[in-house]
Amino acid sequence: KTETKYATFVKKKFNNLQREVCNNKFMKLDLRDFNRTMNNAQLYLYCMQGRNYNARSGRSLDLECIAALLLYCNFEQLATAFKQSYTLLSKADDFEEAALRHREFVNWATLINRTVNEFGTRVHSNGVGSRQRIYYHGLVSAAASTDFLDFNFNESV
């Protein structure tokens, strides 16, 4: 099962993405915003660009993968809370506390990891002469894990 392949070592607190982003203890998204995001993800999935991407890649983006990216890109405070679950927030913080924060976002993290690993393009450090670009986004502190930092996407969502 694909979900298991990208599962983290942290046990999830919520059983789905909606409950997670609308009920976590750090930044709750309004249910209307979540539903709007799911509608936008569905529009992308069935628009010409989404259909062309699926045909070109031979793989299918699913609704939740697109929604996970939209949530990350369109809700800055929520994305900040998500990113903080990967970091030590102070010198007194430890990995156990980070894991407790990350427990609030395991479904989302699994979807982001799956989307990046299955549909992303690795950015090579020897960018000279390369047509690929390196993107930096919201990096203000060292991450507990850098696995999620080294990627970019072929398509804009």
Side-chain angles (χ1 to χ4, degrees):
K1 193 173 180 184
T2 306
E3 231 176 72
T4 307
K5 184 177 176 183
Y6 301 110
T8 63
F9 67 93
V10 178
K11 184 176 176 167
K12 63 184 175 182
K13 181 176 180 179
F14 301 100
N15 65 355
N16 63 45
L17 182 62
Q18 176 188 328
R19 288 196 175 140
E20 191 169 88
V21 298
C22 294
N23 297 306
N24 72 81
K25 68 180 182 178
F26 299 109
M27 177 60 204
K28 293 176 176 65
L29 188 67
D30 184 79
L31 184 58
R32 288 176 302 222
D33 287 331
F34 180 82
N35 289 335
R36 196 171 307 125
T37 299
M38 293 304 288
N39 287 336
N40 288 339
Q42 188 150 18
L43 288 172
Y44 180 82
L45 188 62
Y46 295 112
C47 77
M48 187 60 73
Q49 188 176 8
R51 287 195 317 258
N52 285 343
Y53 182 81
N54 286 335
R56 230 179 21 255
S57 70
R59 297 172 291 180
S60 293
L61 277 167
D62 65 41
L63 188 66
E64 281 198 316
C65 287
I66 296 168
L69 293 175
L70 290 174
L71 289 165
Y72 185 85
C73 293
N74 296 339
F75 297 95
E76 187 176 343
Q77 290 177 323
L78 184 64
T80 297
F82 172 76
K83 288 182 278 189
Q84 286 178 340
S85 75
Y86 281 95
T87 61
L88 302 178
L89 299 178
S90 70
K91 291 186 187 278
D93 206 359
D94 61 20
F95 286 105
E96 189 173 315
E97 289 177 46
L100 287 173
R101 283 192 304 277
H102 193 64
R103 186 170 182 251
E104 302 282 325
F105 299 110
V106 171
N107 293 295
W108 195 8
T110 300
L111 287 166
I112 292 284
N113 284 333
R114 187 172 98 206
T115 305
V116 167
N117 286 310
E118 291 183 15
F119 301 101
T121 301
R122 182 160 295 281
V123 176
H124 301 284
S125 59
N126 59 351
V128 178
S130 172
R131 291 178 14 183
Q132 294 179 330
R133 295 181 186 163
I134 297 175
Y135 298 95
Y136 298 94
H137 172 72
L139 303 175
V140 284
S141 64
S145 168
T146 59
D147 292 341
F148 73 101
L149 297 176
D150 189 23
F151 64 87
N152 74 346
F153 293 93
N154 294 328
E155 302 291 326
S156 60
V157 177

